[in-house]
Amino acid sequence: MKTTKGFNSRLQVISIVVIIIGSIALVYFRNLNRQQNVQETAKMQTDEATTQIEGYTTFSAGVEGRLDGTYTDLTEIHAGVADLLDIDFTAKASTGQGALAQESEYANLAIAKVDNYVNVRSNPTTDSEVVGKMYDGSVAQILSTAGENKEWFQVVSGTVEGYIKAEYFIYGEDAAAVVDNYVTRYVVVKADRLNVREKPDTSSNRIGYIDNGERAKLLEWGDEWSKVSYTGEHTGYVASEYVTIAEEFIYAKSIEEEQAELAALQELQARTQTTEEAVPERAVVSVPPPQTNYATVSELRTAVVDYAMQYLGSRYVHGGQSLATGTDCSGFTCYVYAEFGYSLSRTPQGQYTSAGRSISMDQIQPGDVICYSSNGSTCTHVGLYIGNGQIIHAANSRKGVIISQYDYDGVILGVRSIVD
């Protein structure tokens, strides 16, 4: 009788084990099939294998112990089953070299898509204080989401920080795909004073003037004359030899900035009433020319790299216009080279297609710009090569300006040599 009871108990345990093993196999292979087309990293595979081994070890120990009569319950078996069923089978798709380790710099990029402007508010409610305005095409950095349905974005754009409903934005990869369309081009005056004329001719009537360092929106560039927007109501022409081109993104404006902008516009309108005789044009260039005190190109390259390295650790700001207060990847290379008299496009794609000349990777030298792509065709990121297989670049809003290996992420589309 005792033998029969022992045999039945043993048979019961074996039945339980068979059922449990069958359940585990069903879960395991169901999830395994789900992953067939997903590339897993070596680390993920190692971690999963380790978890499986630990689970099977505990499970086996529990089974053996139970059948040998060492244990009086199924605790060890349950522990092994729990370990096995806790294995993470979630598919993790790989989007390119280093994609799992790197955060896209466009992950929190937003571009306003509105008829005119949308109010930036102090809190995520429509009755909270208006702290600024975000005009169509303005770029912003998404800090967080808010609201019961996450319908509000907390953003920072220029000096303005606040809340706007998400429905007024293009954001993420959609924004990255069209960001080149939202760059505004300006002419910046490098003469003491430059007249704006009705027609592209020195004998044409003057409609106003722009002083040194001031700028006007560029409508059409020409080798001799460029068409600009002067006051919003007036368009005119300036001599191209006395201006440089700057490419910038539009930012949100605070109430104070709008008032200052209005005052500046009124000043420009007042200039249209001043005669040319009363305020003559002064076309003497006062901005110093590009530095030429480098004995060799190698010295110039070293100076460019040394200058860029001063901004290691600086903030990343979408559309940022200053190395000191923060900018993005193409802004970083653009503004570094601007200090040495070189004019680079303000966007990654623009630098890839027009900056300097194209060279191969085996020709690369410090100071060259490496162009990367997250989609394999369009340039979405740039970095400044500093030597020893490394670049300095404005990586993203989380990391800021950092040093990375030149092949840290994405597809390398090409290399541009700027200084020779």
Side-chain angles (χ1 to χ4, degrees):
M1 189 71 177
K2 182 181 288 188
T3 302
T4 302
K5 182 181 289 187
F7 176 81
N8 290 339
S9 176
R10 198 176 184 84
L11 185 62
Q12 181 183 19
V13 171
I14 292 173
S15 299
I16 293 173
V17 170
V18 170
I19 292 171
I20 293 174
I21 290 175
S23 300
I24 293 169
L26 180 62
V27 172
Y28 179 80
F29 286 109
R30 181 181 297 166
N31 284 285
L32 187 61
N33 289 335
R34 192 181 303 161
Q35 301 179 85
Q36 283 180 347
N37 297 319
V38 179
Q39 293 183 343
E40 302 259 328
T41 64
K43 183 179 184 306
M44 289 164 57
Q45 292 172 341
T46 302
D47 289 346
E48 289 185 2
T50 301
T51 306
Q52 292 177 32
I53 291 169
E54 292 173 352
Y56 281 123
T57 300
T58 309
F59 177 82
S60 299
V63 171
E64 292 171 4
R66 179 62 179 173
L67 295 180
D68 289 343
T70 306
Y71 308 115
T72 57
D73 56 38
L74 299 177
T75 302
E76 303 296 338
I77 297 177
H78 290 165
V81 172
D83 284 341
L84 289 173
L85 296 183
D86 281 343
I87 295 173
D88 181 13
F89 290 104
T90 304
K92 295 179 175 63
S94 175
T95 58
Q97 179 186 1
L100 292 176
Q102 299 296 334
E103 171 194 340
S104 168
E105 68 169 289
Y106 298 104
N108 54 3
L109 168 67
I111 302 173
K113 188 69 174 176
V114 294
D115 290 336
N116 186 8
Y117 70 86
V118 61
N119 288 325
V120 184
R121 298 187 178 274
S122 59
N123 291 295
T125 60
T126 54
D127 58 355
S128 60
E129 178 188 5
V130 174
V131 296
K133 294 179 180 178
M134 196 157 187
Y135 288 84
D136 184 51
S138 298
V139 298
Q141 188 168 305
I142 303 171
L143 302 178
S144 65
T145 56
E148 185 176 343
N149 298 312
K150 306 296 183 185
E151 70 273 24
W152 290 84
F153 282 163
Q154 181 188 14
V155 299
V156 59
S157 177
T159 62
V160 180
E161 182 176 330
Y163 294 85
I164 302 176
K165 282 196 171 182
E167 64 188 88
Y168 296 114
F169 288 111
I170 306 169
Y171 52 91
E173 292 304 320
D174 289 339
V178 298
V179 68
D180 283 4
N181 301 331
Y182 290 91
V183 174
T184 302
R185 304 175 77 205
Y186 299 91
V187 295
V188 182
V189 175
K190 60 181 183 179
D192 285 348
R193 175 167 293 152
L194 190 61
N195 285 327
V196 182
R197 299 188 179 277
E198 287 183 352
K199 296 180 180 180
D201 193 296
T202 53
S203 62
S204 175
N205 292 332
R206 190 195 72 164
I207 62 173
Y209 62 90
I210 309 173
D211 281 337
N212 176 261
E214 294 180 340
R215 66 184 188 174
K217 185 177 179 180
L218 177 64
L219 301 178
E220 185 179 320
W221 172 260
D223 291 337
E224 294 185 13
W225 294 89
S226 292
K227 187 176 182 180
V228 299
S229 174
Y230 185 56
T231 63
E233 299 176 357
H234 297 87
T235 60
Y237 294 84
V238 296
S240 298
E241 64 179 307
Y242 298 117
V243 300
T244 58
I245 296 177
E247 293 184 338
E248 296 177 2
F249 291 99
I250 304 171
Y251 279 131
K253 297 182 178 69
S254 67
I255 303 302
E256 295 75 18
E257 286 170 332
E258 276 221 321
Q259 292 171 345
E261 198 170 86
L262 179 59
L265 179 60
Q266 292 171 342
E267 161 66 14
L268 286 179
Q269 290 172 336
R271 293 178 186 180
T272 65
Q273 308 301 318
T274 307
T275 65
E276 186 168 351
E277 291 73 20
V279 187
E281 180 174 61
R282 297 196 299 274
V284 178
V285 177
S286 59
V287 174
Q291 296 186 42
T292 57
N293 58 337
Y294 300 104
T296 64
V297 171
S298 178
E299 287 185 8
L300 174 55
R301 288 178 175 277
T302 298
V304 170
V305 170
D306 289 345
Y307 182 76
M309 290 293 289
Q310 296 181 74
Y311 294 97
L312 185 64
S314 295
R315 295 173 60 215
Y316 178 101
V317 177
H318 284 303
Q321 300 172 9
S322 166
L323 291 168
T325 59
T327 186
D328 49 31
C329 71
S330 55
F332 184 75
T333 49
C334 173
Y335 297 138
V336 165
Y337 266 108
E339 292 297 318
F340 294 85
Y342 292 87
S343 179
L344 272 62
S345 170
R346 185 57 184 77
T347 68
Q349 180 67 11
Q351 292 185 18
Y352 171 59
T353 57
S354 65
R357 64 185 179 89
S358 177
I359 62 172
S360 61
M361 277 299 301
D362 59 7
Q363 297 175 298
I364 196 167
Q365 297 182 65
D368 291 338
V369 175
I370 301 181
C371 303
Y372 301 87
S373 176
S374 61
N375 55 29
S377 59
T378 304
C379 183
T380 56
H381 190 73
V382 291
L384 187 73
Y385 187 68
I386 61 175
N388 297 319
Q390 295 181 314
I391 61 169
I392 183 170
H393 61 136
N396 52 52
S397 57
R398 182 169 57 83
K399 296 179 179 178
V401 177
I402 60 172
I403 292 175
S404 301
Q405 293 299 311
Y406 82 94
D407 58 351
Y408 82 106
D409 190 26
V411 175
I412 295 178
L413 287 181
V415 183
R416 308 297 299 193
S417 177
I418 311 301
V419 301
D420 58 358

